[in-house]
Amino acid sequence: MAAESEFSIPALERFRLMSKNHKGEALVAMIKQALASSQIFVFGEILTLQNVMDLQTTQHAPFYKLLTVFAYGKLSDYDANVHPVLEPAALRKLQCLTIVSLANESKSIGYDLLFEELKVSNVRELEDLIIDAIYNGLIKAKMDQKARVLQIQTAVSRDIREEDMSEMIRVLRKWSANCQSVLASVENQVEITKTNLEDLYQHRVKVESEVMNTRQAILQDEQQKISSERAAAVASSSLAATDSTAHPRAKQQTAADAASSVDRKKATKAKSAAGKGSSVASLKSPKFN
């Protein structure tokens, strides 16, 4: 608990200020506290301190090497014959940092690999370490106990060696080029989409115009039809009125024609009768010479 309170946030900056004027055993003591602290998980900046770099040429050089393991390495890089003995808290931290390194290499880590890298022998110890790493904000992950796999969602980055910078720059340049390619593709798709939308808009305007023209033509046809029907109705009404006016005169003419026909028939019959009477008289009164 003393170490945690000593290196409370911002723990790293606090260590830099406190260790600035320390050397030898005093500096080693502070390094031990930093290694055991649950508040410090990056050590690259500590390694750049001049008084820490000076440890390489002293009897305390193994502590400088141990710092490099915590900054860049894993538990498998720790050698008890070369490095100082680890306190339990420091050992647990190095195990958690090992999980972070594995998480940066793969998003799915099998329990068998974790057993080997963390040097634990049972699932309970392994999962306790994983929980510590999650609790300290080093990783976000889910444990699949059935499949015996640790599924990584996110993980913090470890310190970077100077010799690794060139590789990182290469990766970043490649990533930047890929981003530019994707951006160009997206912009191209945007332009295509704009063109398609403009064409679609023009087509819509054309269709709406044709629909409007068709509606107007239909309306005009209906109006012409109605006008024609009205004109036909007016003409029919006028003709009917004319027929009703001419009808009595036709009846009078027909009656006169009928009377004249009857008179002619009567006259014909009278003439026929007279002719017959004359013939009979000539038969009854023969002439004598």
Side-chain angles (χ1 to χ4, degrees), residues 265-281:
K265 289 180 179 180
K266 288 182 177 179
T268 301
K269 288 181 178 181
K271 288 180 179 182
S272 176
K276 290 180 179 180
S278 176
S279 299
V280 171

Side-chain angles (χ1 to χ4, degrees), residues 31-171:
I31 291 173
K32 288 181 179 180
Q33 290 183 26
L35 295 177
S37 172
S38 63
Q39 300 296 316
I40 298 178
F41 290 93
V42 289
F43 298 91
E45 292 186 30
I46 296 176
L47 287 169
T48 62
L49 297 174
Q50 187 59 52
N51 56 341
V52 174
M53 294 175 66
D54 291 342
L55 291 175
Q56 297 178 83
T57 60
T58 68
Q59 60 179 343
H60 303 297
F63 282 96
Y64 182 86
K65 293 179 180 179
L66 183 60
L67 275 174
T68 61
V69 173
F70 274 77
Y72 314 119
K74 298 184 290 187
L75 183 58
S76 58
D77 297 317
Y78 173 77
D79 186 348
N81 296 321
V82 176
H83 304 108
V85 177
L86 288 176
E87 296 179 3
L91 173 60
R92 197 167 189 83
K93 178 188 287 189
L94 187 54
Q95 289 173 316
C96 288
L97 291 173
T98 299
I99 295 175
V100 173
S101 293
L102 295 173
N104 283 316
E105 295 172 1
S106 175
K107 295 301 181 182
S108 181
I109 310 170
Y111 275 21
D112 292 338
L113 178 60
L114 290 169
F115 283 135
E116 180 183 350
E117 291 285 346
L118 303 179
K119 294 180 172 53
V120 293
S121 57
N122 60 71
V123 174
R124 179 60 182 273
E125 288 183 75
L126 173 61
E127 293 184 346
D128 285 345
L129 286 171
I130 293 172
I131 291 171
D132 282 352
I134 294 173
Y135 179 78
N136 286 311
L138 301 176
I139 62 170
K140 288 184 179 180
K142 291 183 178 181
M143 293 179 286
D144 188 340
Q145 296 175 332
K146 185 176 181 180
R148 292 171 60 84
V149 169
L150 179 64
Q151 298 292 348
I152 304 297
Q153 297 174 351
T154 60
V156 299
S157 298
R158 298 291 305 276
D159 291 299
I160 302 170
R161 294 184 177 92
E162 289 187 12
E163 54 267 30
D164 295 333
M165 291 298 292
S166 58
E167 176 63 16
M168 177 171 285
I169 291 172
R170 185 191 68 80
V171 172

Side-chain angles (χ1 to χ4, degrees), residues 235-246:
S236 177
S237 177
S238 300
L239 182 61
T242 303
D243 290 344
S244 62
T245 303

